């Protein structure tokens, strides 16, 4: 039966919205997490990186607000419930969403090594 073969996990997305233009939010990053702890770590790391780029008072307020709600976020993830976190600064809102999913085994890559063609890709150099 197919449902027995599905892998439980979480689909994490990061959306950025320009509040001044009133346009639609844009998806800027997504991540497949295989555990509640991995999804929570993704959110925490992303928020910490963004907060570091904000002005100091906004960064502290943002991190404090997130930290207070982090227990609720972890509990929701452990119950396999969706959760959302947002921050706003000036004319930008960044929203992270995490929702429980079931990954198809065909879409999951279990091998630790990348396929041979990955060696053909060369990183960009900056001068």
């Amino acid at each position: 039966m197919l449902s027995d073969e599905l892998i439980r996990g979480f689909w994490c997305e990061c959306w950025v919205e320009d509040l001044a233009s009133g346009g639609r939010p844009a998806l800027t990053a997504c991540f497949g997490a295989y555990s509640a702890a991995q999804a929570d770590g993704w959110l925490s790391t992303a928020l910490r990186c963004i907060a570091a780029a904000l002005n100091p008072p906004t960064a502290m307020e943002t991190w404090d607000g997130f930290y207070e709600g982090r227990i609720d976020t972890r509990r929701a993830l452990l119950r396999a419930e969706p959760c959302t976190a947002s921050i706003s600064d000036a004319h930008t809102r960044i929203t992270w969403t995490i929702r429980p999913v079931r990954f198809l085994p065909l879409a999951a890559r279990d091998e630790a090594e990348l396929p041979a063609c990955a060696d053909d890709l060369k990183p960009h150099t900056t001068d």
Side-chain angles (χ1 to χ4, degrees), residues 15-18 21-26:
W15 294 84
V16 176
E17 182 179 3
D18 182 350
S21 71
R24 296 176 51 123

Side-chain angles (χ1 to χ4, degrees), residues 19-114:
L19 301 173
S21 71
R24 296 176 51 123
L27 179 64
T28 58
C30 53
F31 174 71
Y34 291 98
S35 69
Q38 193 177 27
D40 181 55
W42 175 80
L43 176 60
S44 176
T45 300
L47 187 57
R48 190 174 296 127
C49 290
I50 296 296
L54 301 173
N55 63 55
T58 304
M60 186 62 100
E61 180 181 325
T62 298
W63 185 250
D64 287 348
F66 171 72
Y67 190 77
E68 290 175 13
R70 191 156 186 208
I71 291 292
D72 293 334
T73 299
R74 284 185 177 179
R75 285 181 180 148
L77 292 172
L78 289 171
R79 291 188 303 261
E81 296 174 351
C83 57
T84 302
S86 293
I87 61 170
S88 297
D89 184 45
H91 301 288
T92 304
R93 177 183 300 132
I94 303 171
T95 302
W96 291 271
T97 61
I98 303 173
R99 61 183 182 274
V101 296
R102 293 180 186 238
F103 295 107
L104 291 172
L106 296 173
R109 188 175 62 81
D110 294 328
E111 295 86 30
E113 294 184 31
L114 294 173

